[in-house]
Amino acid sequence: AIRAIQHEVFQRGGELFRILGDGEDSTLTQITAEAVDLMLNKAVCFQREVIRGRGEERGLVLENTCAPTWLAKQLVKLQQWPAVRPINALAFGPFLDAKGRVAGHKKGYDVATGVWTATEFDGPQIPHEPTDADAIAALEKLKNVVREFPFDDDTGFSVYLAAILTILARNYLNAVRPAFLFAASAPGSGKTLLAKIVGIIGAGKEPGAFTLSPERQEEARKQITSFLQSGEPILFFDNISGQFGGPDIDRLITTRKWTDRPLYSAQSVTVDTNITILATGNNLGTERETSRRCVALRIAPACENPSARTFAIPDLRQYA
């Protein structure tokens, strides 16, 4: 039965998943026993022996039927399926694999990395042996995107660049990664736009904003667990008020494996923390233990109404 649906499902952390949506709207979703039951009945013709006929013609015949109700429940509980492909993450653009090679050019499943690339890359091919001139030209392109952002000091561009490279190299880096904080002196300064540009260039799509419930720590942990199961490359906290961080965020930044219960589940799971954390806020501060786990930049526009500014590149998202 599992072989009949093996090309529709993936396994991760002892759970079955499938990909819903297409392109940038793709999501990795855990499969319930009810969903497996529907998939089995669509893929397999189940039959049972029943007695039919009268007299000498009475006997056993095969009739089509639905999958037995216990089958899907048993399949989901196995926790490992040799015929099912493992999936580590979703990708929406090129990235470095564990050996430093460029992967993610083509849409579909990559056996070497266990990554499903949800979009087809139509940009320029990266040379196998880039020259210094290639690197300098690429750097100038990245600089041009943020040339009009009023970084508070010279480290701002370095943090922006480090965030992009960290996202691109998430499968190559065999280490925990810092969170990247984009602070601003006033609303409308462009901190959220900058974070979205980092996501577009680094991961291939604009990251969705994530909200935690700090007053409900257990629920917040479950939210994080559910997000990690989704395979998304960026965890983006937008417009944080107050201090960023706390025990759960500290653990998330500094551990490679995360164990907890997802939302609406009574069973704990263990998943990789192969993500990059971005956070934005006005005059953003950090909790004491969190500060040493972060790399930060600050935007400080020298004008009274930052949101009224115009840019030489009118649509920065599209340009990115």
Side-chain angles (χ1 to χ4, degrees), residues 12 88 170 175-177 224 228 232-233 251-259 270-277:
R12 186 169 189 237
N88 295 320
R170 60 191 179 276
V176 295
R177 287 144 292 211
I224 291 172
L228 292 174
E232 290 279 344
R251 178 162 71 99
L252 180 61
I253 296 173
T254 53
T255 185
R256 299 184 191 179
K257 297 284 185 180
W258 174 277
T259 301
T270 299
V271 287
D272 294 327
T273 57
N274 189 18
I275 58 169
T276 302
I277 297 174

Side-chain angles (χ1 to χ4, degrees), residues 155-169 173 178 180 182 198 276 278 295:
T155 65
F157 176 76
S158 297
V159 176
Y160 152 80
L161 185 61
I164 291 174
L165 295 177
T166 301
I167 296 167
L168 284 168
L173 296 170
F180 292 89
F182 301 152
V198 166
T276 302
L278 307 179
V295 179

Side-chain angles (χ1 to χ4, degrees), residues 1 33 37 40-41 46-47 65-74:
D37 185 66
L40 288 173
N41 282 304
F46 290 91
Q47 295 183 320
T65 185
C66 293
T69 55
W70 54 263
L71 180 57
K73 294 177 182 178
Q74 293 290 344

Side-chain angles (χ1 to χ4, degrees), residues 98-302:
K99 295 183 179 180
R101 298 173 298 201
V102 179
H105 281 112
K106 294 183 178 180
K107 185 177 180 179
Y109 182 73
D110 183 70
V111 176
T113 60
V115 173
W116 176 274
T117 301
T119 54
E120 195 79 22
F121 181 66
D122 58 0
Q125 293 298 307
I126 300 167
H128 291 291
E129 296 184 7
T131 64
D132 286 352
D134 291 328
I136 292 170
L139 183 62
E140 286 303 311
K141 285 185 178 181
L142 292 171
K143 280 183 178 179
N144 198 49
V145 177
V146 295
R147 199 173 296 279
E148 296 180 89
F149 278 86
F151 294 125
D152 196 30
D153 55 41
D154 292 339
T155 65
F157 176 76
S158 297
V159 176
Y160 152 80
L161 185 61
I164 291 174
L165 295 177
T166 301
I167 296 167
L168 284 168
R170 60 191 179 276
N171 296 291
Y172 175 69
L173 296 170
N174 188 24
V176 295
R177 287 144 292 211
F180 292 89
L181 309 186
F182 301 152
S185 59
S189 299
K191 58 190 181 302
T192 297
L193 175 60
L194 181 62
K196 290 181 176 181
I197 286 171
V198 166
I200 291 168
I201 298 175
K205 76 165 188 173
E206 189 174 301
F210 188 84
T211 303
L212 284 179
S213 305
E215 67 281 358
R216 300 178 181 177
Q217 288 194 354
E218 183 177 354
E219 183 179 327
R221 289 198 307 272
K222 291 180 180 180
Q223 285 179 285
I224 291 172
T225 307
S226 296
F227 178 86
L228 292 174
Q229 283 189 309
S230 73
E232 290 279 344
I234 297 174
L235 180 56
F236 175 37
F237 300 98
D238 192 27
N239 278 318
I240 293 171
S241 57
Q243 302 288 96
F244 174 70
D248 293 327
I249 295 296
D250 295 345
R251 178 162 71 99
L252 180 61
I253 296 173
T254 53
T255 185
R256 299 184 191 179
K257 297 284 185 180
W258 174 277
T259 301
D260 214 305
R261 286 186 296 155
L263 286 169
Y264 316 116
S265 175
Q267 184 176 338
S268 293
V269 297
T270 299
V271 287
D272 294 327
T273 57
N274 189 18
I275 58 169
T276 302
I277 297 174
L278 307 179
T280 70
N282 296 316
N283 299 309
L284 181 61
T286 58
E287 298 289 350
R288 182 176 179 182
E289 285 298 316
T290 310
S291 61
R292 61 190 181 89
R293 295 170 166 86
C294 301
V295 179
L297 62 78
R298 188 170 181 268
I299 300 172

